Amino acid sequence: MEKPNVLLIVSDQLRYDCIGFSRKYPVRTPNIDRLAGEGAWFSNAYTHIPLCCPARQSLLNGRRPETFGSLWNYDLGPPIPALQPDSYSWPRELQKTGYATAYLGKWHVHPTFDPTHYGYEDYVSLQDYKRFRDERYGAAKYKNGFFGETDPVPVEDARTHWMADRTIAFMAQYERNPSVPWHIRLDFDEPHLPCRPSEPFASMYDPNTVPKWDNFDDTFTNKPYIQKQQLLTWGVENYEWPDWSPTVALYYAFISQMDEAIGKIVDYLDHSEMGNNTLIIFTADHGDMCGAHKMMDKHCVMYQDVVHVPLIIRGKGIASGQVREEMVYNLLDLPPTLSEWTGFAPGEFQGQSLMQLFREGAPPEWRKEIVSTYNGQQFGLFIQRMITDGRWKLVWNPTDVDELYDLQDDPSELNNVIGHEEMKDVVDRLRNRLYEILMHEGDTMVANPWMKRQLQKGMKL
């Protein structure tokens, strides 16, 4: 049986609701939408940790970062271990089965060892792009910091499109030897702040017409104080929507620019002999606040803005036009899925193979909840654990008030109903289930008696 090629595209800090296919906000992503329409779109995909390094390390290893000590980004905050090259890495196992492998774009897995130490034969880095750009245009000079601005470089030489061209070059190389299957992973750094799209994308969205986030007017009533503190930390405590809308417009623009680059890759693939035998996966490591709840970036919160992410899979055997509503992990579920699809040796995976969802017959027994974690970052070590069953979301904040949101009646997560007496059964059920899952999956943070007492017994004032 012919083994499928695997193209994995990972975006950095991309919100679920900022893909056109989500039908939520007016972001133009025709190429990503086309992939969704031709394959399976997962409407309940979640990241297991909304932070770059731990999320990316987990994707390679197939387990939660807490199990191997990667709690936050190794390059910000107190020193922390990174996933070591001698750890299990599924691309290495894939390579052992005869696959050609290449990695392009953002890495952020280890400060010293690059992708060639984890199973990738070739590597094109962000630094490679920087050298190209500096030689052609000189060192970039920007003035607006994390709030973004227009990139003066023509879009054909912007990082999105340069990386797309390098990706196409690898596919053209592999096409000359069709007997060898291949895996390419392309990690866009976009739309991670600061958003700096090139023209014509930089002018695509008028800040005056960008709709306000549904949750922008949060008052933070009965919510952890650290959320207000984040506004002060970033200096945005007095920002109103007219202050935020130019940055949101640039965020939209960066996504649309990335979408065009993805379109170039998919067009090349579909016009080649490889298109029918290539599995395409598109997702993101996590989302971005970008002014939602008046907040910046992604720290110290478990709002849908950062944990709910896009996931699309297109390939042979996947019926087009599917909208899957199962609760899935966009990163933890990919290693077992690819192991089953391509035949490499599995590790001690903590996800489930999505292949089960594409088989005919009765639907499989599938998880009923999603758990996401957070351990702190450059603003201090603030631990959070989140569980959702799709309707209710509980956020356990061991050092502050907990949060409970009704995602059906309050999708903007404005009203924390944790203290409502009528919610007691819901809270107890979610607390106990969260404890069971964390213990089962090796999260040592809940193993001590004080944390067990607080979480399992609900001992919080």
Side-chain angles (χ1 to χ4, degrees):
M1 181 179 177
E2 187 179 16
K3 291 190 174 183
N5 306 312
V6 178
L7 173 60
L8 172 57
I9 302 175
V10 181
S11 175
D12 194 358
Q13 242 163 263
L14 176 61
R15 299 166 57 109
Y16 171 91
D17 55 15
C18 283
I19 299 295
F21 200 84
S22 73
R23 310 292 191 265
K24 179 60 177 176
Y25 291 108
V27 189
R28 296 171 219 166
T29 55
N31 297 291
I32 297 173
D33 296 352
R34 181 182 62 170
L35 281 178
E38 294 173 348
W41 166 269
F42 291 83
S43 60
N44 285 303
Y46 284 79
T47 183
H48 63 291
I49 185 165
L51 197 60
C52 298
C53 292
R56 293 166 187 278
Q57 292 172 45
S58 283
L59 175 54
L60 284 176
N61 181 261
R63 295 182 299 146
R64 290 186 180 274
E66 291 84 7
T67 65
F68 52 83
S70 177
L71 303 181
W72 51 80
N73 290 354
Y74 56 73
D75 51 355
L76 289 169
I80 197 76
L83 185 72
Q84 296 302 308
D86 59 356
S87 301
Y88 177 89
S89 173
W90 63 261
R92 185 185 299 118
E93 299 303 319
L94 186 65
Q95 192 178 42
K96 290 177 183 177
T97 68
Y99 272 74
T101 57
Y103 192 108
L104 302 94
K106 181 172 182 175
W107 176 232
H108 223 185
V109 165
H110 197 284
T112 305
F113 298 106
D114 66 25
T116 62
H117 293 84
Y118 295 81
Y120 288 97
E121 180 180 359
D122 295 295
Y123 174 40
V124 178
S125 69
L126 298 181
Q127 191 61 33
D128 291 328
Y129 170 72
K130 186 178 185 302
R131 282 192 288 269
F132 157 79
R133 179 187 175 117
D134 289 353
E135 289 173 4
R136 180 165 293 193
Y137 297 101
K141 296 180 181 179
Y142 299 108
K143 301 177 180 179
N144 205 33
F146 284 111
F147 296 95
E149 58 207 285
T150 300
D151 189 342
V153 169
V155 70
E156 58 268 20
D157 284 338
R159 185 170 55 199
T160 49
H161 289 52
W162 189 87
M163 286 292 177
D165 289 341
R166 305 287 85 70
T167 301
I168 291 170
F170 276 113
M171 291 194 296
Q173 172 187 327
Y174 297 150
E175 190 174 15
R176 292 192 287 271
N177 190 5
S179 63
V180 177
W182 53 262
H183 161 50
I184 295 175
R185 177 169 165 184
L186 169 59
D187 272 46
F188 284 105
D189 201 27
E190 293 76 21
H192 193 293
L193 75 168
C195 296
R196 293 167 178 155
S198 297
E199 294 291 3
F201 295 96
S203 300
M204 179 175 284
Y205 300 95
D206 181 357
N208 295 314
T209 62
V210 170
K212 184 166 62 173
W213 302 121
D214 289 350
N215 51 30
F216 182 77
D217 293 319
D218 198 341
T219 64
F220 302 106
T221 301
N222 191 33
K223 294 190 176 184
Y225 174 77
I226 200 168
Q227 297 187 20
K228 285 186 178 179
Q229 179 61 49
Q230 284 298 296
L231 274 61
L232 297 168
T233 299
W234 284 100
V236 295
E237 66 272 17
N238 296 317
Y239 274 40
E240 299 299 334
W241 185 246
D243 303 303
W244 268 111
S245 62
T247 295
V248 178
L250 291 170
Y251 182 74
Y252 282 15
F254 227 12
I255 295 169
S256 292
Q257 179 175 310
M258 178 182 66
D259 177 81
E260 183 177 84
I262 291 171
K264 292 180 63 177
I265 297 168
V266 175
D267 284 346
Y268 178 87
L269 189 60
D270 286 349
H271 286 92
S272 73
E273 296 295 324
M274 303 178 293
N276 290 332
N277 192 42
T278 299
L279 183 69
I280 302 178
I281 303 169
F282 174 78
T283 192
D285 56 351
H286 52 76
D288 190 332
M289 298 305 289
C290 196
H293 296 271
K294 299 181 180 177
M295 300 176 74
M296 194 89 168
D297 211 9
K298 70 265 186 184
H299 301 294
C300 306
V301 293
M302 285 290 186
Y303 288 125
Q304 294 291 90
D305 312 84
V306 298
V307 296
H308 191 199
V309 290
L311 174 62
I312 299 167
I313 302 181
R314 192 198 81 171
K316 185 184 295 184
I318 300 176
S320 62
Q322 295 185 64
V323 176
R324 308 294 318 196
E325 296 181 352
E326 292 86 356
M327 307 292 287
V328 304
Y329 291 109
N330 69 313
L331 301 180
L332 287 179
D333 286 344
L334 284 185
T337 301
L338 292 173
S339 175
E340 184 174 356
W341 219 304
T342 64
F344 64 77
E348 297 178 1
F349 297 147
Q350 292 182 320
Q352 294 177 252
S353 172
L354 300 172
M355 287 281 286
Q356 302 174 61
L357 304 178
F358 300 131
R359 298 193 182 100
E360 295 182 2
E365 184 66 26
W366 197 256
R367 70 173 65 89
K368 299 296 189 292
E369 307 96 358
I370 287 289
V371 169
S372 294
T373 63
Y374 180 78
N375 303 293
Q377 184 51 25
Q378 67 261 36
F379 303 120
L381 307 185
F382 182 72
I383 289 174
Q384 296 182 290
R385 299 293 185 263
M386 179 212 91
I387 184 169
T388 180
D389 60 8
R391 165 73 187 273
W392 299 101
K393 180 199 280 190
L394 172 72
V395 183
W396 176 40
N397 300 306
T399 57
D400 208 326
V401 62
D402 291 341
E403 301 163 76
L404 179 69
Y405 300 106
D406 183 344
L407 297 180
Q408 177 177 295
D409 295 339
D410 178 28
S412 300
E413 299 172 288
L414 293 172
N415 303 307
N416 181 14
V417 296
I418 190 67
H420 294 201
E421 183 62 29
E422 66 272 21
M423 295 292 103
K424 185 178 184 306
D425 289 346
V426 173
V427 172
D428 288 347
R429 173 176 60 82
L430 291 176
R431 280 185 187 279
N432 282 299
R433 186 66 183 129
L434 178 59
Y435 178 79
E436 290 172 359
I437 293 172
L438 293 176
M439 287 296 291
H440 175 72
E441 297 190 349
D443 189 337
T444 57
M445 208 279 288
V446 299
N448 70 65
W450 298 277
M451 292 296 95
K452 177 179 179 180
R453 184 170 187 262
Q454 183 185 125
L455 182 58
Q456 192 178 40
K457 302 299 182 183
M459 297 296 183
K460 295 192 74 172
L461 296 177

